[in-house]
Amino acid sequence: MPYCSRCGVEVDDGAAECPLCEAPIQRLDAPAAPPGDGPYPQHIIDPQDTYRLSRAERRRIAVEILSLIAILGSGALLLMDLLSSADLGWSRYAVASIIFGWTAACLPIALHGRPKAAVAAVGAASVAFLVVLDAMDGAIGWSLSLGAPIALTSFAAVLATATCIATRRVKGLNLLGIGAIGLAAYLVALESLLRIGILGLERFGEARPYWSLVAALALVPVAVFLFYLHGRVARGADLRKIFRL
Amino acid sequence: MKHEGDAEAPRPRQDTSRPKVLRRYSDDRQYPGEHPWFALDHAAIIYPSILSDRVSAYYRIQAILDEKVDIPLLQRALDALRPRFPYFQIELRRGFFWFFFERNDEPNLVVEDSKFPMQRLSSGRKGVYLYRVRAHADRVSLEMCHILTDGYGAMIYFRSLLAEYYRLKGVRTEYGPMVFDPNDTPGPGEWEDAFSRYATPGAPGPARIGPAWHLPGIGLPVHTMRVVTGELSLSAALAKAKEHGATLTVYLSSVFLAALQDVQEAEGGDAPRSRRLPLRLQVPANLRNFFPSSTLRNFSLFALPELDTRLGRYEFAEIVARVKATMALAFTPKEIMRTITRNVATAKHPVVRAVPLTMKNLIMRGLYRSHGEALYSSLSTNVGQARLPDSFAARVRRIDVVLPSTPGLKTVAGMLSHGDSLSISFGSVIERRDLERAFFTRLVRDGLKVRVESNLGSADGKDA
């Protein structure tokens, strides 16, 4: 059996180097066994994955395709506008929309595996898009008082609800309950924002939400009932195990 | 053509009318019904909090057979065996205050082995078991999470699995306390959290110790690890241990500490000796040898033999004497009771119990680093004899136990013997291999013949 002259240990017939000191194994008698005959398999996870595109490669290709479509589309629209009126008019709105669409599609791909970062980035891009659209008219107005707050609240509500849903290990009727709670909170926030945006902050006292509270009061009992159904009936939950001290 | 099932050996004891028993859970709770659950034992409660991509808490027992593994037959053996060990057929769930186990009815499939063993399974997903059986060529492996059981429980499961596999191949095995009959009913004592039983309120805790020296080294990529296994003659190693006036565990632990001392000296360079941290080795022991229990869940604790290298270099005879004395003092029922009581009393403290699990996780992660891994340089466990039944012992060429390392300990060792083969496996998550080299070359210099193999070459470790 071959051995390492530095460490003095014997090694496998197929070993090209010592597992301890990495020195090459001298062979005077028999040729080395073919590689792959070692004690462990050579594949890391699944041999079938070896010749497939990796997920990272697929993501990179998707971003390339989306970028090419956005560049070609934007270029074509700008050229058409320039050729027809010798000025950039309507095409600015179209190109801004294409850029926003490209951002909203590419960010989740680029931030794969970080859903919170992706939602936050798309939220920021949406606000920026609204402000740019508003600014194209010559002055910034509705985008700051209504557009940005509503967009940010919508993304925050989606993010919070999705996080809550994702952390549930057992998924069933409880997801509907979480969705109902999220919707109730969102509606209250939305009505508050609308009233503040329309009436202004100085009349905030008059801006108490009304219809959204009615909707929330209907949604919350529904959610509680769904949680109860999910936990007690469908899962046979035992409160003693959840709250065991 | 002879059907595979025709070769099956008759069962020594058939129990066709399995009585429906009330399952007994830890903490004296009995909750029969559709969704049985039970609490983690007191050694296991730390593990779910520290699991990560780099800390898997899985260890592995693997047997190299004399022929290629028949995977469909192994699957049948696993399926037949599972009902006998209901406390392993569970998934990990989160409560508000503690993690708990809940019955898992999903199929548990034998999976193909891979180059890097013992990677963490997604215990957060529903239906994921905390152990798995793997196969590759002539090797069967059981990867068991420490949340479930210790080496003793895993060995019984592994022996029983092999016995059932060979029974399906036509080899009859006598069942007993070391090999369970798949048709038997689990005894209530097998579910027990034995730590709770032997905690003695009022017993003082163990003495506090400071941090120990740790191996330096650049980590291997995440989800990879190096396994270096050395095989030597058990009779030769026993004779050598006897020469040094020690048991095999004491001898191998002493060699490990001596190797750590070699690495520390080589690493220390010209730094003043007075600034060195002590070398401390965790050597676990099966507590069933000290406290009667038939539990198949965790029931082990450890001794911490130590070298204070600020005092100078230790000769091997001095190391053996220190290890022997430390283990003799640590492994007595009274001393063990200190640690058992401290662990159980902490977990049962009303304030600790009332802390929500999310906060407990943060605290336990910090405690594990500061009061766990920081206190010892490495870990070396000797599981002892595999004690395979005679009916198929000759068909198993070697058995290894491989421990998972962590970014804190970096390199750890597990030892197991079968027949005249003593297997010593190092699990490591760093590129450098000087501890393994120092250990095995010491054995070679002591006159023992060692054959070494690894799951990766030097290039793999750097590029993988």
Side-chain angles (χ1 to χ4, degrees), chain A residues 22-200:
Chain A
E22 304 170 33
I25 300 296
Q26 303 287 331
R27 289 172 197 287
L28 300 175
D29 44 6
D37 283 2
Y40 289 82
Q42 289 305 301
H43 61 266
I44 293 171
I45 300 295
D46 186 344
Q48 291 176 328
D49 285 340
T50 310
Y51 303 106
R52 291 179 191 158
L53 285 176
S54 71
R55 289 176 187 273
E57 285 167 329
R58 287 181 194 178
R59 286 196 293 273
R60 203 160 44 238
I61 291 170
V63 170
E64 280 173 19
I65 292 171
L66 286 169
S67 303
L68 190 65
I69 291 171
I71 290 167
L72 292 176
S74 302
L77 289 170
L78 287 171
L79 283 175
M80 276 194 279
D81 198 12
L82 273 175
L83 285 173
S84 60
S85 59
D87 192 15
L88 288 181
W90 58 266
S91 62
R92 292 180 302 162
Y93 296 93
V95 170
S97 302
I98 288 177
I99 292 172
F100 172 67
W102 175 83
T103 313
C106 289
L107 277 174
I109 298 173
L111 294 170
H112 174 76
R114 295 157 62 195
K116 287 178 191 167
V119 173
V122 173
S126 306
V127 172
F129 172 62
L130 292 173
V131 172
V132 167
L133 274 189
D134 195 12
M136 282 181 187
D137 293 337
I140 294 179
W142 59 266
S143 63
L144 292 184
S145 59
L146 282 173
I150 290 174
L152 285 177
T153 308
S154 305
F155 276 98
V158 168
L159 190 61
T161 310
T163 305
C164 202
I165 285 174
T167 53
R168 300 300 94 190
R169 290 190 58 213
V170 182
K171 293 180 170 61
L173 287 174
N174 56 339
L175 303 192
L176 288 176
I178 293 168
I181 296 279
L183 181 61
Y186 174 66
L187 290 178
V188 173
L190 181 66
E191 190 184 1
S192 304
L193 288 173
L194 283 173
R195 285 174 181 253
I196 291 169
I198 294 165
L199 298 175

Side-chain angles (χ1 to χ4, degrees), chain B residues 269-281:
Chain B
D270 297 331
R273 194 172 269 280
S274 60
R275 292 174 65 182
R276 290 184 187 174
L277 285 171
L279 303 172
R280 211 174 280 129
L281 186 65

Side-chain angles (χ1 to χ4, degrees), chain B residues 18-246:
Chain B
R18 187 183 302 176
K20 192 170 183 180
V21 294
L22 196 67
R23 288 177 172 174
R24 183 175 182 275
Y25 303 100
S26 66
D27 295 339
D28 299 324
R29 289 157 193 269
Q30 296 184 353
Y31 297 132
E34 287 301 307
H35 299 277
W37 63 276
F38 58 101
L40 279 67
D41 62 63
H42 281 86
I45 52 178
I46 187 82
Y47 288 111
S49 306
I50 61 166
L51 290 182
S52 71
D53 284 342
R54 290 195 180 273
V55 180
S56 77
Y58 279 80
Y59 57 94
R60 173 180 173 111
I61 299 169
Q62 58 188 24
I64 299 168
L65 312 183
D66 62 353
E67 61 183 353
K68 193 172 185 300
V69 179
D70 183 340
I71 293 178
L73 210 60
L74 184 63
Q75 182 67 60
R76 282 178 60 194
L78 176 61
D79 293 342
L81 190 68
R82 284 173 53 205
R84 175 61 186 82
F85 295 85
Y87 28 82
F88 296 160
Q89 316 314 317
I90 51 89
E91 59 179 331
L92 187 65
R93 300 284 312 275
R94 289 173 73 97
F96 189 78
F97 296 108
W98 296 102
F99 284 97
F100 60 91
F101 293 135
E102 193 163 57
R103 192 176 74 195
N104 189 351
D105 294 323
E106 297 295 316
N108 193 346
L109 301 177
V110 174
V111 287
E112 170 72 0
D113 212 344
S114 63
K115 186 170 187 171
F116 302 109
M118 299 182 293
Q119 298 308 313
R120 176 194 175 201
L121 300 176
S122 279
S123 54
R125 280 209 329 264
K126 184 161 167 56
V128 173
Y129 286 92
L130 292 173
Y131 75 95
R132 61 178 170 177
V133 176
R134 309 184 77 171
H136 169 69
D138 56 358
R139 188 177 55 201
V140 181
S141 312
L142 171 68
E143 293 185 350
M144 182 71 82
C145 187
H146 227 311
I147 300 173
L148 280 186
T149 184
D150 54 16
Y152 176 85
M155 270 311 297
I156 288 188
Y157 193 63
F158 193 58
R159 265 186 229 112
S160 305
L161 177 69
L162 288 181
E164 182 63 11
Y165 174 74
Y166 278 112
R167 190 190 69 77
L168 293 171
K169 273 182 165 285
V171 178
R172 177 184 166 143
T173 298
E174 286 295 327
Y175 298 116
M178 291 288 117
V179 182
F180 287 3
D181 181 354
N183 278 354
D184 264 356
T185 304
E190 295 171 23
W191 298 75
E192 179 193 40
D193 176 8
F195 289 105
S196 290
R197 175 144 66 110
Y198 289 109
T200 312
R208 292 190 176 191
I209 51 175
W213 182 77
H214 284 86
L215 278 173
I218 299 169
L220 291 170
V222 70
H223 295 137
T224 67
M225 72 174 294
R226 183 179 59 252
V227 179
V228 174
T229 301
E231 184 183 6
L232 54 155
S233 159
L234 176 65
S235 52
L238 282 169
K240 193 55 69 179
K242 201 173 173 186
E243 236 175 66
H244 290 283

Side-chain angles (χ1 to χ4, degrees), chain B residues 439-454:
Chain B
F439 181 89
F440 286 121
T441 51
R442 270 190 168 271
L443 292 180
V444 170
R445 285 205 301 273
D446 223 3
L448 295 169
K449 202 165 136 185
V450 184
R451 193 182 70 82
V452 178
E453 66 183 34
S454 174

